[in-house]
Amino acid sequence: MKSEPRVGTAPYLRNTAGFPLEGFPLAFSHRGFAPGGEENTVKAFAAAHRLGFKYMETDVHASKDGVLMVFHDEDLLRLAGDRRKISDCTAAELGRLRVAGEPIPTFDELLESFGDSHFNVDVKEPGAARLLAQAINRHGARDRVLVAAFNGLRRRKVQQLLAASAPGDFGGPKGSPAAASPGVLGIGAATLLGRIIPLPAALYRNVDALQVPEKQGLVRVVSPKFIDHAHAAGLQVHVWVVDEAAEMHRLLDMGVDGIMSDRADVLAGVMGERGYWPQGSGSVSDNA
């Protein structure tokens, strides 16, 4: 099944006109698929990949010695039982720790292990911004990474570094930045404006998608009008984190362009029911 072409122009968004998933809403596994608590590990991403996911959300921090590590929390206590912060540890020290029995990976490992996959990357602290830009360049992954951060300055830093560099270095001619989603201020403005007027395209010229919760506290963010206004500004709407099948169906009926879920198995099932699965590397007809 194929719907109308989605908005957007970034190569990362393979559901836009002329790309293999044209018209499909995107399915994102949130921190991989980790029913055993092994979130953001190679095991979790491999589990999501086996289910058919080619879009996976993750988080990055900088280690003490400048290695980009895949981890959500600022400190290691919840997941690894260690009271130190990620930034207090070298990559070697972090490599000896375990999350539900699994090693903490580097972002390079993810790009290398899942070469056909796209990553939605939340930059968790300022030191990770330059490291992420370097990793994207090193792996030629500008079309495989969407940069997100609650703090928009981190996202803009990554984009600025990429725009000023050629793939593989930081001194070549101007290059294309990676796709991006705005931070808290940009999302807040979109939430307020998108309920009443079309979003000003100039305000969102450096981003490609609004990645939002359906609600923020008592405030409803996602509505048909919000989606229409985002689309008019050339922006996709991706909703996080949605774990119930009924909610997924309702949002897809509303016209969202993507859903992120901790329940990758449930989301894959819903996408399959609607004819949007698998989301592989073939043509639309291959996936229909």
Side-chain angles (χ1 to χ4, degrees):
M1 182 171 67
K2 178 182 173 183
S3 60
E4 291 300 312
R6 305 277 162 171
V7 298
T9 58
Y12 176 90
L13 298 171
R14 295 170 62 249
N15 59 342
T16 55
F19 284 87
L21 299 179
E22 181 180 334
F24 282 32
L26 298 176
F28 297 82
S29 64
H30 188 245
R31 305 180 200 170
F33 179 44
E38 62 278 11
E39 65 177 64
N40 271 332
T41 65
V42 170
K43 180 180 179 180
F45 293 113
H49 193 269
R50 284 194 299 272
L51 286 171
F53 283 84
K54 297 301 174 66
Y55 281 84
M56 299 189 272
E57 188 274 347
T58 191
D59 314 275
V60 292
H61 286 266
S63 70
K64 184 178 181 179
D65 52 347
V67 176
L68 195 63
M69 306 300 299
V70 175
F71 204 81
H72 178 270
D73 298 359
E74 181 181 10
D75 63 61
L76 295 151
L77 185 60
R78 176 177 70 92
L79 292 167
D82 191 305
R83 293 187 178 277
R84 292 176 294 177
K85 295 181 179 180
I86 293 279
S87 58
D88 293 333
C89 305
T90 65
E93 290 171 328
L94 292 167
R96 291 191 287 270
L97 300 176
R98 294 293 181 267
V99 174
E102 295 298 312
I104 300 171
T106 66
F107 187 61
D108 288 83
E109 286 181 73
L110 293 195
L111 290 176
E112 291 164 1
S113 298
F114 304 98
D116 62 347
S117 297
H118 295 65
F119 290 95
N120 208 96
V121 183
D122 188 349
V123 185
K124 287 297 186 183
E125 45 88 21
R130 176 173 289 274
L131 295 176
L132 178 58
Q134 291 172 335
I136 291 170
N137 267 355
R138 190 161 54 245
H139 292 274
R142 294 179 187 225
D143 61 341
R144 293 176 55 204
V145 173
L146 183 146
V147 182
F150 283 99
N151 183 323
L153 292 176
R154 299 171 201 160
R155 183 263 303 167
R156 288 196 291 274
K157 180 66 172 179
V158 178
Q159 287 186 299
Q160 288 165 1
L161 289 168
L162 291 174
S165 65
D169 66 56
F170 279 101
K174 183 177 180 181
S176 59
S181 172
V184 169
L185 292 180
I187 294 299
T191 300
L192 294 174
L193 294 174
R195 301 169 68 183
I196 51 177
I197 61 171
L199 298 177
L203 188 63
Y204 295 93
R205 65 184 180 277
N206 294 321
V207 298
D208 307 277
L210 299 176
Q211 297 187 328
V212 296
E214 184 176 6
K215 292 181 179 179
Q216 184 62 50
L218 297 177
V219 178
R220 176 169 293 280
V221 178
V222 181
S223 67
K225 184 174 289 187
F226 176 87
I227 295 168
D228 287 344
H229 286 164
H231 286 176
L235 301 169
Q236 292 198 6
V237 176
H238 303 159
V239 186
W240 53 265
V241 173
V242 185
D243 293 338
E244 299 296 329
E247 293 300 298
M248 295 172 186
H249 281 295
R250 186 174 56 77
L251 288 165
L252 292 169
D253 288 341
M254 199 182 294
V256 302
D257 305 284
I259 290 177
M260 297 185 191
S261 180
D262 287 324
R263 290 299 306 271
D265 53 343
V266 175
L267 181 54
V270 166
M271 290 292 188
E273 289 176 30
R274 302 176 72 101
Y276 296 136
W277 207 253
Q279 297 193 344
S281 58
S283 66
V284 171
S285 61
D286 293 333
N287 289 282

